[in-house]
Amino acid sequence: METPLPVIVCLATLGLTGSFLRADNPKIVAAENFYGGVAQQIAGSGATVTSILSNPNQDPHEFTTDASTARAVADADVVIYSGIGYDSWMDKLLGTGGKPGRVVICVADLISAKDGENPHIWYDPPTMPALVDKLATTLPAPDPTDRTLYRQRADDFKASMKPVLDQIVSIKAAHPNLTVTATEPVFGYMAGALGFKMLNYDFQVNVMNDTEPTAQQTAAFEQSLTSHSAKILFYNSQVTDPTTDRLKKIAQTAGVPIVGVTETQPLEHKTYVEWMLAELHDVEAGLAAQSR
Ligand SMILES: [Zn+2]
């Protein structure tokens, strides 16, 4: 018996996904998956996006490259990385050449972030809007209509940030000058946007840099939990050590709400906005649990 059906299916697939088959769709490599996800939103489903850091069980501060990372970067039309030391391995890979005309976006440059500042800049609300504007103007546009599409999607993205900004305003108004602490600086910019006063920053920087916090820093941290001067503990589940584990237990015993935060975008959140909304929801839930 003849079986023409598979041929028909293939043709239908071709028709539906024509844009996937364009040879000139840009190949985008993002150092981190939250930038990769946003780039996919702007470039469209036809673009090939590879995100290097996406494993929720891996400490990005400890990441080292391998041959497949080097190949992906060498073959990219567009490279996006965070900068100011968060992903200095990318600086090294970019120094070894690449495709002619390659577009390189260092996100820190877009918001004038400087070396030595908290490198977790994607938690700062203005960062992703700056990135989408940059993508709209610099993504390769092989078809004349592409540029218009990129601009439209960038504007859509910025509009999609409104619930995040609204939730920030709402939490800030309900909990003015709240004092909080964290095991690692990942949530720092969002805490700042919320108007929170952050305790134990030096401790957090040591954890980030895989340096043992001093006995004094650890004692001050414990005190901030047992005395309830810290109203929330932001716990970075991706960058942990025995000291952060112990502080988490102290917070649990003392009844300080713990809000889990991560470096990379967890797989269960399809977009950056969904991810941020979920973390802000957890902040609200933690504060509500405390006031009961
Ligand atoms: Zn970190």
Side-chain angles (χ1 to χ4, degrees):
M1 185 184 148
E2 301 249 333
T3 52
L5 190 60
V7 176
I8 293 165
V9 170
C10 283
L11 287 171
T13 309
L14 278 171
L16 284 171
T17 61
S19 67
F20 283 89
L21 302 172
R22 265 171 47 177
D24 50 6
N25 276 324
K27 271 190 210 157
I28 301 172
V29 170
E32 294 83 15
N33 68 348
F34 35 84
Y35 296 135
V38 168
Q40 188 90 68
Q41 282 183 265
I42 307 308
S45 55
T48 307
V49 178
T50 305
S51 296
I52 308 296
L53 289 169
S54 60
N55 181 349
N57 300 313
Q58 180 181 47
D59 178 349
H61 298 289
E62 307 281 295
F63 178 75
T64 50
T65 55
D66 59 13
S68 70
T69 312
R71 269 197 304 276
V73 172
D75 197 34
D77 300 303
V78 180
V79 176
I80 306 167
Y81 72 116
S82 210
I84 60 167
Y86 188 75
D87 39 19
S88 42
W89 49 269
M90 184 62 96
D91 286 317
K92 293 193 191 89
L93 290 182
L94 290 170
T96 61
K99 271 191 180 175
R102 176 173 69 186
V103 173
V104 176
I105 300 175
C106 171
V107 179
D109 289 346
L110 306 179
I111 54 162
S112 304
K114 299 279 182 296
D115 277 326
E117 294 173 358
N118 185 341
H120 308 89
I121 54 174
W122 59 99
Y123 270 91
D124 201 6
T127 299
M128 289 304 189
L131 174 60
V132 298
D133 278 341
K134 184 71 176 177
L135 290 167
T137 55
T138 57
L139 279 177
D143 189 285
T145 59
D146 289 340
R147 185 70 56 212
T148 315
L149 273 174
Y150 298 155
R151 181 72 264 162
Q152 183 57 51
R153 292 177 189 142
D155 290 342
D156 290 349
F157 178 89
K158 289 197 280 185
S160 79
M161 282 286 291
K162 187 169 186 303
V164 176
L165 303 177
D166 287 350
Q167 207 167 350
I168 290 170
V169 169
S170 149
I171 295 172
K172 190 175 179 176
H175 305 277
N177 308 313
L178 195 79
T179 304
V180 300
T181 193
T183 53
E184 200 270 355
V186 69
F187 197 74
Y189 288 105
M190 187 60 87
L194 290 163
F196 294 171
K197 182 172 178 284
M198 183 62 78
L199 300 175
N200 310 308
Y201 186 72
D202 292 344
F203 174 101
Q204 299 171 39
V205 171
N206 279 341
V207 170
M208 171 177 81
N209 293 331
D210 203 25
T211 303
E212 187 66 33
T214 66
Q216 216 173 6
Q217 287 169 347
T218 305
F221 205 124
E222 288 181 26
Q223 163 74 11
S224 69
L225 296 172
T226 53
S227 69
H228 289 220
S229 55
K231 304 301 180 195
I232 294 180
L233 171 65
F234 290 97
Y235 183 80
N236 182 345
S237 57
Q238 233 171 323
V239 184
T240 60
D241 63 23
T243 310
T244 61
D245 290 347
R246 202 168 56 78
L247 290 168
K248 187 180 180 184
K249 291 196 181 79
I250 291 173
Q252 278 164 342
T253 307
V256 176
I258 299 166
V259 173
V261 288
T262 56
E263 300 266 339
T264 48
Q265 184 174 321
L267 299 175
E268 67 261 33
H269 300 304
K270 283 195 278 298
T271 66
Y272 169 79
V273 164
E274 270 185 33
W275 176 32
M276 289 297 114
L277 284 174
E279 290 201 346
L280 289 170
H281 175 81
D282 289 348
V283 171
E284 284 188 319
L287 290 167
Q290 181 170 242
S291 59
R292 272 206 298 271

